[in-house]
Amino acid sequence: VGSNALHEAMINELIKEAHILQADGRMSLAGVGRGRSHQVHNQTRRDSIFWLDGSSEAQREYLKTMEDLRLQLNRELMLGLFEYEAHFAHYRTAASYSKHRDSFSGAASRVVSVVTYLNADWLSENGGELLLYDEAAENVLERVLPEAGTVVIFLSEKIPHEVLPANC
């Protein structure tokens, strides 16, 4: 977990873009599963997403930063990461995401997950914290307040996590 991990100008541009996409109705309900098993499941996940495609300068800069991270993780930890995908996620009031892993054990669909927060002036009473659990999914290892510029990186198969309900 790193605070102020990305430069402020990029974060501000991404915040503006995410607000425009949400206001224009260009985000769609997020689902769970991949391929034929993909389905929108409101009891598990209640956010809206937009996949980054590099269509703006801010997106290109963010994706370049994540590409640099991918290369560094490969160099330092020999993870063999080949690609990176990213999306904006918007949680409305009361929205949450139940405890889960981002990849099923042995599936290797995702190796590393990265969460980058774009919530300007977020207060602790606004909720929406990310809880990271131990591998047994019993003990909270970290509680992360979703503040703009905070970046969280964890192993997708190993670390169960959840997003608590947002209060605004």
Side-chain angles (χ1 to χ4, degrees):
V1 177
S3 299
N4 301 312
L6 301 172
H7 67 83
E8 190 175 352
M10 177 175 50
I11 292 295
N12 289 336
E13 287 303 310
L14 289 169
I15 289 170
K16 280 192 247 179
E17 186 169 349
H19 283 295
I20 290 168
L21 290 166
Q22 182 62 29
D24 289 349
R26 294 176 49 201
M27 291 192 168
S28 55
L29 290 176
V32 294
R34 284 190 172 247
R36 294 162 86 163
S37 67
H38 181 268
Q39 53 186 278
V40 173
H41 206 284
N42 286 334
Q43 298 305 318
T44 303
R45 182 176 186 178
R46 298 184 322 184
D47 59 320
S48 298
I49 63 170
F50 178 88
W51 289 97
L52 276 63
D53 57 10
S55 60
S56 71
E57 183 58 37
Q59 284 187 38
R60 286 189 293 276
E61 186 177 355
Y62 179 76
L63 291 170
K64 170 68 170 93
T65 300
M66 292 301 106
E67 174 63 9
D68 292 345
L69 173 63
R70 183 188 73 80
L71 293 173
Q72 185 175 356
L73 289 171
N74 282 344
R75 189 170 43 254
E76 301 294 328
L77 302 176
M78 295 176 267
L79 291 179
L81 305 173
F82 295 104
E83 62 184 358
Y84 181 83
E85 60 184 11
H87 65 270
F88 288 119
H90 176 259
Y91 286 78
R92 289 178 216 80
T93 301
S96 61
Y97 194 166
S98 299
K99 191 186 304 181
H100 66 284
R101 287 180 171 83
D102 284 347
S103 184
F104 297 110
S105 184
S109 59
R110 289 192 182 120
V111 177
V112 175
S113 296
V114 177
V115 177
T116 303
Y117 286 106
L118 303 175
N119 302 303
D121 304 317
W122 198 260
L123 304 172
S124 59
E125 57 264 24
N126 293 341
E129 295 99 335
L130 174 69
L131 300 184
L132 301 170
Y133 292 88
D134 61 11
E135 283 189 61
E138 295 172 0
N139 301 302
V140 174
L141 299 174
E142 191 82 30
R143 178 183 286 263
V144 182
L145 190 64
E147 297 173 308
T150 297
V151 175
V152 182
I153 303 170
F154 55 92
L155 294 173
S156 304
E157 279 186 15
K158 302 279 186 192
I159 305 295
H161 55 284
E162 70 178 309
V163 177
L164 298 180
N167 296 324
C168 67

